[in-house]
Amino acid sequence: MSAVFAFSLGIALAFLQIGLGRSGFGQMLLSARPGLTALAALWLGVWGACYAFPSRPPRLLTGKTAAFASGLAFGMGLIPCIGPALSAILRLTAHSERALQLQGIAALIVYALAMALPFMPIALLWLGLLRKIAPSPRRAALLRGGFGLGVAAFALLLATDRIPLIAEWLVGLSDWSWVLL
């Protein structure tokens, strides 16, 4: 459970760094984003490949620290997908007086946590599913391999900068103007 929390915290921190764009630290992160994205894709590719094959993943790729790093990496990949609601929050903080900026920062923290927290019940369901099928090593290996291949595919999309195109397509499927109300 603590690894799931670490993963969720990593995702939240990745989203939170977007709101820091006006600060010096945020500017540094934004300028380093291409390199950080490449590093995130590499990490996720290795992580996914290790889970896709039947051998036990190296110790470096397991535990809370690896879960946190994986959450950060996933968050870097998901940044293009979080669009309209985050845009409204960033507009609130971008050109407003200090009180509204503080409200915007608070909203950004709540937003980042709200985006990350759903991963906790999903992970609990995943762990429950793994326990349920654990008596069948073949099915467990197939499920684990599918997970690993999915992570590796996400890493490939991240490395080739295809995620923004997918996000743009998904946003185009619906009218998001209600988010800005």
Side-chain angles (χ1 to χ4, degrees):
M1 182 62 174
S2 59
V4 174
F5 179 74
F7 182 84
S8 298
L9 187 62
I11 288 179
L13 188 61
F15 291 159
L16 193 57
Q17 64 93 16
I18 295 172
L20 299 174
R22 291 186 50 177
S23 70
F25 179 69
Q27 290 297 323
M28 181 188 73
L29 285 174
L30 288 174
S31 67
R33 190 166 189 284
L36 292 173
T37 301
L39 186 61
L42 178 64
W43 171 265
L44 290 174
V46 170
W47 194 56
C50 285
Y51 277 89
F53 299 104
S55 66
R56 185 164 173 82
R59 190 164 169 79
L60 173 68
L61 297 174
T62 60
K64 290 178 263 188
T65 304
F68 179 75
S70 299
L72 274 173
F74 264 101
M76 290 295 295
L78 294 174
I79 286 172
C81 304
I82 57 179
L86 183 61
S87 296
I89 293 171
L90 293 178
R91 279 191 181 147
L92 178 67
T93 60
H95 303 290
S96 56
E97 56 193 57
R98 184 130 175 99
L100 281 178
Q101 286 178 346
L102 292 175
Q103 286 178 338
I105 291 168
L108 184 62
I109 290 169
V110 168
Y111 179 83
L113 290 173
M115 290 297 291
L117 288 178
F119 286 96
M120 295 184 88
I122 290 169
L124 291 174
L125 289 171
W126 172 261
L127 293 173
L129 180 62
L130 285 179
R131 277 190 217 107
K132 192 172 206 145
I133 65 170
S136 170
R138 187 175 192 288
R139 283 187 284 178
L142 283 173
L143 191 58
R144 187 174 158 170
F147 167 77
L149 289 175
V151 171
F154 183 80
L156 183 61
L157 290 171
L158 182 58
T160 58
D161 203 27
R162 297 291 186 247
I163 292 175
L165 298 174
I166 294 168
E168 185 178 312
W169 175 74
L170 288 171
V171 167
L173 292 178
S174 180
D175 176 16
W176 292 92
S177 60
W178 62 272
V179 174
L180 298 175
L181 297 178

